[in-house]
């Protein structure tokens, strides 16, 4: 009885100790959560002022970590039921301490307003030395944030309940996003000095993608511009249309692997318009380099792709710019002007291409003049990059190694132990600009979540929003005028759905009743659909896959469209559905 009584007393004291310290730690973490948005907005508006906010966040995180890292807490983490909740709380506290104390605070101290302002172009030149000085602090910050994200991501959410479960979900998103952003900044500080010609002149081929006519990674490469960089000074020249660069190419410039030609034929290696039809920019970049060399004799050092939506984000930071004809191009009119109105104003494709080039040049000039705040420009670039609207490939192997693991590399989706990833790549089959009117709605739904036998469904709804009289009210250049077999006003979409590696196809159906073809590319099953959408009609494609897997999250990478409100990455959590009652 004395022994049992002593154990009860010790257990009660431990519970009180852990309960009090846990409540205090929770208060500190709640403060961090409430201060997070303030820190983000302050960082965008005034980096110097943000340092004081991050200092407070670091103090709160340090206190939470201290409260959840003693011996009593460690013993309590081994208890049934309550143990996993305490372990999750302690992990979030230690990861917060690492993120704010070891990563963001030193980084904020190093990136003062003066150092950030040094990153703004001046007189058409970027200070590459200022970028190089940030390499060391961003490297250590990236390492600390990556460790913090890994610790939180490794938490098993299955036994977690209520507030703790919700906190872990939010923390995983926050820490992953932060780690990716800091890592991108670090890679930029290492890449940009050499890519901007710090060690000698560089030339890059800039592809301006047109989302009004879909290709897998965005749109046709309708216009190309040569970008030159030397000692941080950057200029644009040698604008050419895709038609001009493709003229005379009767054969592919390189022999493509049979896996690629089975799905895409030889078009990506023969027509500049189709360069980004293959949804892997590490393949498209070298193709563009060789095609440009074959037609001009010039060998570029890399290839960059950008679309009008990315330009609209940049215009939000720089403010409106004047086009060669005197019209103002702004964030709110850039997309409809460049992807729709231009075809009504200029029936001649050559005039259209000149207009695209002029608009791109005007935005570029505003950037190089240093318009807009540095945080605003960085935020615009970050959003465009995250949405895969800016892609880059370098012929330099060491530079490409730094790009490879980033979103800018434009690689095929990779499935890992945590996340099953689809690729939903859309291509125009009308031979027109009708993609501007097609709205893709992509959703992911988990089936069974109660065991390692997982089932996952992808639904793609395609809607042609063009008016019923589109055949007669839209320009023939937009409708295609039936030249390639699609009736004016209708839209043909060729969709390639890449299934997660290691997952088996259960079913694939379409509401239109049309079938699909199957192929394989780099270990992924690829289903190809080709629905024809009359004006004001929709079709739905549903693909269900299954696997014995521990993956609890799902993603679908979708072709970036002209609609900035449609996120090119769709996500779903198996665990969240399981908590809601799905088994």
């Amino acid at each position: 009885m004395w022994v049992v009584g002593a154990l009860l007393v010790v257990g009660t004291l431990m519970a009180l100790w852990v309960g009090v310290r846990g409540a205090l730690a929770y208060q500190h973490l709640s403060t961090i959560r409430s201060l997070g948005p303030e820190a983000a907005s302050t960082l965008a508006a005034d980096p110097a002022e943000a340092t004081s906010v991050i200092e407070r966040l670091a103090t709160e995180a340090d206190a939470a970590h201290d409260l959840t890292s003693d011996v009593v807490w460690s013993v309590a983490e081994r208890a049934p039921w309550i143990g996993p909740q305490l372990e999750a709380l302690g992990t979030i506290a230690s990861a917060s301490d690492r993120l704010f104390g070891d990563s963001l605070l030193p980084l904020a101290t190093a990136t003062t307003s003066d150092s950030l302002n040094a990153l703004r172009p001046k007189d058409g030149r970027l200070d590459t030395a200022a970028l190089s000085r940030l390499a060391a602090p961003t490297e250590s910050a990236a390492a600390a944030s990556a460790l913090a994200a890994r610790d939180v991501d490794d938490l098993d959410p299955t036994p977690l309940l209520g507030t703790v479960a919700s906190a872990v979900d939010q923390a995983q998103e926050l820490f992953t996003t932060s780690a990716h952003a800091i890592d991108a900044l670090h890679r930029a500080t290492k890449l940009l000095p050499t890519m901007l010609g710090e060690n000698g002149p560089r030339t890059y081929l800039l592809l301006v993608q047109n989302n009004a006519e879909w290709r897998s990674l965005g749109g046709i490469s309708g216009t190309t511009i040569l970008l030159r960089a030397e000692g941080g000074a950057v200029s644009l020249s040698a604008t050419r249309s895709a038609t001009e660069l493709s003229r005379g190419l009767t054969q592919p410039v390189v022999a493509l692997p049979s896996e690629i030609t089975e799905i895409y034929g030889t078009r990506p290696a023969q027509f500049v318009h189709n360069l980004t039809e293959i949804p892997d920019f590490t393949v498209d970049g070298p193709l563009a380099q060789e095609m440009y060399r074959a037609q001009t004799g010039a060998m570029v050092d890399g290839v960059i792709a950008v679309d009008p939506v990315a330009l609209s984000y940049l215009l939000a930071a720089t403010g409106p710019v004047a086009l060669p004809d005197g019209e103002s191009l702004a964030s709110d009119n850039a997309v409809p002007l460049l992807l729709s109105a231009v075809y009504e104003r200029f029936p001649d494709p050559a005039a259209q291409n000149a207009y695209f080039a002029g608009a791109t040049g005007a935005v570029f000039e505003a950037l190089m003049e240093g318009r807009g705040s540095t945080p605003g420009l960085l935020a615009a670039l970050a959003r465009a990059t995250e949405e895969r609207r800016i892609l880059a490939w370098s012929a330099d192997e060491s530079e490409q190694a730094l790009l490879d693991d980033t979103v800018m590399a434009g690689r095929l989706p990779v499935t890992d132990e945590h996340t099953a990833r689809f690729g939903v790549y859309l291509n125009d089959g009308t031979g027109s600009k009708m993609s501007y009117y097609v709205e893709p709605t992509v959703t992911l739904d988990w089936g069974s979540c109660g065991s390692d036998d997982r089932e996952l469904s992808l639904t793609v709804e395609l809607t042609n929003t063009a008016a019923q009289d589109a055949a007669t009210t839209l320009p023939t250049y937009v409708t295609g005028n039936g030249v390639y077999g699609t009736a004016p006003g209708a839209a043909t979409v060729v969709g390639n759905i890449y299934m997660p590696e290691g997952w088996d196809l259960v079913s694939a159906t379409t509401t239109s009743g049309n079938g699909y073809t199957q192929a394989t590319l780099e270990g992924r099953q690829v289903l190809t659909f080709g629905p024809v959408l009359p004006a004001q009609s929709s079709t739905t494609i549903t693909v269900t896959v299954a696997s014995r897997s521990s993956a609890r999250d799902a993603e679908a990478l979708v072709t970036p469209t002209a609609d900035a409100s449609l996120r090119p990455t769709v996500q779903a959590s198996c665990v969240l559905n399981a908590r809601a009652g799905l088994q």
Side-chain angles (χ1 to χ4, degrees):
M1 290 178 63
W2 279 105
V3 171
V4 172
L7 289 174
L8 288 174
V9 170
V10 171
T12 301
L13 290 174
M14 286 182 64
L16 287 171
W17 178 269
V18 170
V20 170
R21 292 173 73 86
L24 292 172
Y26 182 76
Q27 290 179 10
H28 289 295
L29 293 175
S30 295
T31 301
I32 291 173
R33 182 171 61 179
S34 64
L35 281 177
E38 179 186 344
S41 60
T42 306
L43 185 62
D46 187 351
E49 181 65 25
T51 302
S52 62
V53 182
I54 294 174
E55 283 177 349
R56 183 180 174 189
L57 288 168
T59 301
E60 298 284 349
D62 178 66
H65 184 202
D66 183 63
L67 288 164
T68 58
S69 58
D70 64 355
V71 175
V72 177
W73 190 280
S74 298
V75 172
E77 286 182 347
R78 297 181 175 85
W81 187 75
I82 192 64
Q85 322 303 317
L86 297 176
E87 181 186 6
L89 189 61
T91 299
I92 292 175
S94 64
S96 297
D97 190 23
R98 183 171 275 155
L99 176 63
F100 293 107
D102 298 339
S103 177
L104 286 176
L105 183 56
L107 183 59
T109 304
T111 54
T112 61
S113 292
D114 289 340
S115 64
L116 282 177
N117 285 333
L119 301 181
R120 293 175 63 185
K122 185 177 181 181
D123 298 327
R125 184 182 300 273
L126 279 156
D127 185 356
T128 57
L131 279 168
S132 298
R133 286 193 293 270
L134 291 175
T138 56
E139 182 175 16
S140 57
S145 63
L147 287 173
R150 186 194 64 189
D151 289 345
V152 175
D153 196 50
D154 285 343
L155 284 171
D156 181 7
T158 305
L160 303 181
L161 302 170
T163 303
V164 177
S166 177
V168 169
D169 290 331
Q170 294 175 15
Q172 286 175 337
E173 181 178 357
L174 167 67
F175 282 84
T176 299
T177 302
S178 300
H180 287 168
I182 297 171
D183 178 67
L185 180 61
H186 168 57
R187 290 173 189 258
T189 61
K190 295 188 68 176
L191 273 169
L192 287 177
T194 54
M195 292 186 72
L196 289 170
E198 184 178 64
N199 302 319
R202 294 289 191 92
T203 57
Y204 301 93
L205 184 64
L206 181 63
L207 307 178
V208 184
Q209 293 199 86
N210 185 333
N211 312 88
E213 186 172 349
W214 283 338
R215 293 295 182 267
S216 297
L217 294 182
I220 63 166
S221 304
T223 302
T224 69
I225 306 173
L226 199 63
L227 187 153
R228 302 181 186 276
E230 184 172 6
V234 185
S235 61
L236 299 180
S237 64
T239 300
R240 289 182 171 87
S241 70
T243 301
E244 177 186 354
L245 280 177
S246 303
R247 190 174 294 125
L249 288 176
T250 58
Q251 297 294 327
V253 293
V254 298
L256 295 172
S258 58
E259 279 191 333
I260 290 178
T261 57
E262 185 178 354
I263 302 171
Y264 302 105
T266 61
R267 296 182 302 274
Q270 191 170 347
F271 300 99
V272 173
H273 314 72
N274 295 313
L275 277 171
T276 54
E277 192 173 6
I278 303 170
D280 187 343
F281 205 65
T282 63
V283 175
D284 304 335
L287 274 180
Q289 179 196 47
E290 179 57 25
M291 200 171 294
Y292 195 76
R293 185 206 62 78
Q295 292 292 75
T296 68
M299 179 68 78
V300 296
D301 298 300
V303 181
I304 301 169
V306 65
D307 72 7
V309 180
L311 297 181
S312 75
Y313 297 162
L314 293 172
L315 285 166
T318 65
V321 298
L323 295 177
D325 64 357
E327 186 172 8
S328 178
L329 186 70
S331 178
D332 59 352
N333 73 356
V335 172
L337 188 59
L338 295 174
L339 298 181
S340 179
V342 65
Y343 301 112
E344 296 181 3
R345 298 185 186 184
F346 305 106
D348 181 10
Q352 297 163 10
N353 291 325
Y355 195 80
F356 294 140
T360 305
V363 176
F364 172 80
E365 184 178 348
L367 287 174
M368 296 310 296
E369 286 177 355
R371 297 192 206 173
S373 69
T374 304
L377 289 171
L378 290 176
L381 288 169
R383 180 181 179 185
T385 300
E386 181 188 359
E387 295 180 1
R388 304 188 304 281
R389 298 184 185 278
I390 299 177
L391 304 172
W393 170 81
S394 174
D396 184 290
E397 291 184 2
S398 61
E399 293 174 1
Q400 184 59 32
L402 285 169
L403 284 168
D404 267 340
D405 296 330
T406 70
V407 179
M408 289 184 72
R411 283 188 170 278
L412 290 174
V414 176
T415 292
D416 55 37
E417 60 181 337
H418 296 301
T419 307
R421 292 185 173 88
F422 284 92
V424 181
Y425 299 113
L426 307 171
N427 289 276
D428 168 77
T430 315
S432 71
K433 300 299 182 288
M434 287 300 296
S435 298
Y436 183 80
Y437 298 94
V438 180
E439 180 180 303
T441 302
V442 179
T443 56
L444 289 166
D445 293 290
W446 285 96
S448 57
C449 284
S451 68
D452 284 345
D453 293 320
R454 302 288 169 89
E455 192 170 276
L456 178 61
S457 292
L458 169 80
T459 302
V460 182
E461 182 181 11
L462 299 168
T463 303
N464 184 350
T465 65
Q468 288 284 6
D469 59 355
T472 56
T473 57
L474 290 177
T476 57
Y477 190 84
V478 173
T479 65
N481 204 31
V483 172
Y484 295 99
T486 301
T492 298
V493 179
V494 179
N496 305 119
I497 296 179
Y498 284 65
M499 292 166 43
E501 306 105 300
W503 290 65
D504 298 320
L505 178 65
V506 175
S507 63
T509 60
T510 64
T511 55
S512 64
N514 295 332
Y516 60 89
T517 60
Q518 279 187 272
T520 302
L521 183 60
E522 295 186 16
R524 299 164 179 81
Q525 294 186 64
V526 183
L527 309 183
T528 300
F529 299 82
V532 178
L533 305 171
Q536 293 293 303
S537 73
S538 298
T539 190
T540 301
I541 301 164
T542 303
V543 175
T544 300
V545 296
S547 176
R548 186 161 183 80
S549 169
S550 60
R552 59 177 181 261
D553 294 314
E555 284 185 354
L557 305 187
V558 186
T559 295
T561 71
D563 188 346
S565 68
L566 296 176
R567 291 185 60 82
T569 302
V570 178
Q571 300 172 318
S573 171
C574 181
V575 176
L576 283 175
N577 283 358
R579 292 193 199 113
L582 276 177
Q583 298 295 325

